[in-house]
Every structure is written in C-alpha cells, then in structure tokens.
Amino acid sequence: SYYDAAIDDVLRGISTFIKLTNATPVPIKNLYLAPETLGKDRIAIAVAANDLFPNQNVLAIDAGTCITYEFINSKKEYLGGSISPGLSMRFKALHNFTAQLPLLKKENIDYLVGRNTEQSILSGVLNGTSGEMNYIIKSYEELYPDLTVLLTGGDAPFFETRLNYKIFAVPNLVLRGLNKILSYNVG
C-alpha cells in the first residue's frame, strides 16, 4: 500500500530500526492465545502498564477509536483483554445503521433520561459507555482486589470523572510502551 511504501522510504534513511511484530521480544510474558492478531498498540500498552506499575495487577483502558482493556498481572504476564467501540464509532453506528438518527458528538451531560432523540442518543452512548467501563473495572477488581487502573487515549479526559474507581490518567501510554520495547531491544 501507499502507507507501507512511505514507511519503507523513511526506514531506508535510518541506519538501525526495530519493526514491532509478534516475534519482537518484549519485557513481559505474552500469554495472548493469538499473538499474530494482537494489535501493536495493545501490547505496547501492556508493556507500559507493567513498566509504570511493576509487580502489580494492572488494567489499562485505552479510550480511543475503540476502547481496549488490557490486563497484565503481577507476574508480568499479559493475559489479554477486550475491545469495544469507542464513542465516535458508537455515534456513527447509530447514524449509519438507522434511517433517521442524527450523527452526534460527545458533550458533557448530566442526565440519564433523554427527553428528545438527541438527548436519548447522548444518554445512551455516554452513560452506556461509562457503565461499561465501570462494570469491567468492577469485574476485574472482584478477581484482583489489588488492581491498579490506568486510563489513556483521546477520550480519556471525558471519562476521568465518570468512573467510580480510583484511576491513573496516563497520556501517551502507547508511546511509552513502544519506547520501552525499543529500549529493551536496543539495550
């Protein structure tokens, strides 16, 4: 593709580089059952979470295009997580897969009951996504009471006050993880 060709052009000008693949060594044990399908952003987040909170059970939530939940245990083992649609994707799905629902964007709301179509969509998407996050955090906390929760991604600031749990908001978690992987391999 054009994108791959552009990357190849840039890489030709660099004397040393590391291409992140499922075979690239990382400083954690990857127990994901299909590592060849694991997104590079997801493994980078797990590496960064472990680096920031070593020897702890960590759930890292990336609230972006998709919302990903990555779990790494206190033994430095990445077990996996889950993926759901992000806010923008949810709004677009309601608009694109129905006949008459308008396309909306996130905004701060303080209500549960929508009293018109726009309010109903906002309540459903925003309160529903917050409820999803709270439920997933609660479920992990039941399994791992000493859980540390990280929040990152473009929509993270929106959720910082909507979660019922103590969280650490960490910008650029993917970049931190990629840097850690690079350092681990370069020495």
Side-chain angles (χ1 to χ4, degrees), residues 13-60:
I14 300 173
S15 59
T16 304
F17 69 93
I18 295 174
K19 184 174 183 177
L20 180 57
T21 70
N22 66 309
T24 304
V26 295
I28 60 175
K29 187 170 185 178
N30 184 355
L31 297 179
Y32 200 67
L33 296 179
E36 66 282 357
T37 68
L38 181 61
K40 292 160 185 61
D41 57 334
R42 295 181 67 201
I43 192 65
I45 285 173
V47 167
N50 179 74
D51 186 53
L52 289 169
F53 295 93
N55 306 312
Q56 293 183 41
N57 294 313
V58 181
L59 176 65

Side-chain angles (χ1 to χ4, degrees), residues 53-122:
F53 295 93
N55 306 312
Q56 293 183 41
N57 294 313
V58 181
L59 176 65
I61 304 170
D62 184 1
T65 303
C66 290
I67 300 171
T68 61
Y69 303 86
E70 310 306 338
F71 180 73
I72 183 161
N73 67 22
S74 60
K75 300 174 190 172
K76 298 175 73 167
E77 297 170 328
Y78 172 67
L79 302 181
S82 55
I83 304 170
S84 69
L87 291 178
S88 180
M89 193 179 294
R90 291 171 198 236
F91 285 123
K92 287 177 184 174
L94 287 172
H95 175 70
N96 292 334
F97 296 111
T98 62
Q100 296 182 9
L101 294 180
L103 179 60
L104 301 179
K105 294 182 180 181
K106 73 175 181 249
E107 61 181 70
N108 285 318
I109 63 168
D110 61 357
Y111 53 84
L112 177 62
V113 178
R115 298 189 50 140
N116 59 39
T117 300
E118 288 79 12
Q119 286 182 355
S120 297
I121 291 170
L122 289 168

